Amino acid sequence: EVWNAAMKDTVGLQKYYDAHKSNYIWKDRVDVVLATSGKKSDIEKVASLLKKGTSDEAISKQLNSEAEQKVIFTKGTMETDHQSLPKDLELKEGVSKIYNYNDAYHVLLINKVIPSNNKTFDEAKGKVISDYQNSIEENWLKSLHDRYKVEVDPKVLKTVKNQIGK
């Protein structure tokens, strides 16, 4: 009645998404290359090289060896409250200042700041399915309550409570 119906009802899912688009919003995001190191001197080298336009791959080859990993790069689009990003991150494109965060040093190359906007249906699909299932379940339970009256026999209830208590 609920779970399979929601999964198979693609038209209903799309209509539900269209009616509730305001529930599926990206927060402010950044397209970022995040460099992390345990040593401030290493992250200072990374920052200098990033400012010169050196790629993260080239920097990684230059600083890292099989014996020692001096810097780790993480790339992607992240919401600004992502756990990998410093809380006081300045949202502007380019190479950031050096942050001391989570017991390590970080410098970021922010390629693009992406303002808050609606998620597409595909980006929100998992959440839309879950919300649509909850909506179907709520309507189904309401229809059951409307159709059937619940009556409690006090004698039977007392008997059951006594049996549970033993």
Side-chain angles (χ1 to χ4, degrees), residues 1-6 132-133 136-137 140-141 143-144 147:
E1 289 287 330
V2 176
W3 311 118
N4 289 336
Y132 187 49
Q133 287 172 335
I136 291 172
E137 181 180 17
W140 179 59
L141 290 173
S143 74
L144 289 175
R147 196 176 329 156

Side-chain angles (χ1 to χ4, degrees), residues 15-24 118 131 135:
K15 284 182 181 177
Y16 185 86
Y17 167 78
D18 291 340
H20 298 90
K21 272 187 180 180
S22 63
N23 294 343
Y24 309 106
N118 280 45
D131 292 349
S135 173

Side-chain angles (χ1 to χ4, degrees), residues 33-44:
V33 177
L34 170 66
T36 304
S37 179
K39 293 182 183 174
K40 189 172 185 179
S41 60
D42 290 333
I43 211 69
E44 287 171 342

Side-chain angles (χ1 to χ4, degrees), residues 148-166:
Y148 303 105
K149 184 179 180 204
V150 176
E151 294 180 21
V152 177
D153 184 331
K155 289 180 184 176
V156 174
L157 179 61
K158 185 176 181 181
T159 303
V160 171
K161 282 183 177 180
N162 286 337
Q163 288 176 350
I164 291 173
K166 291 180 182 178

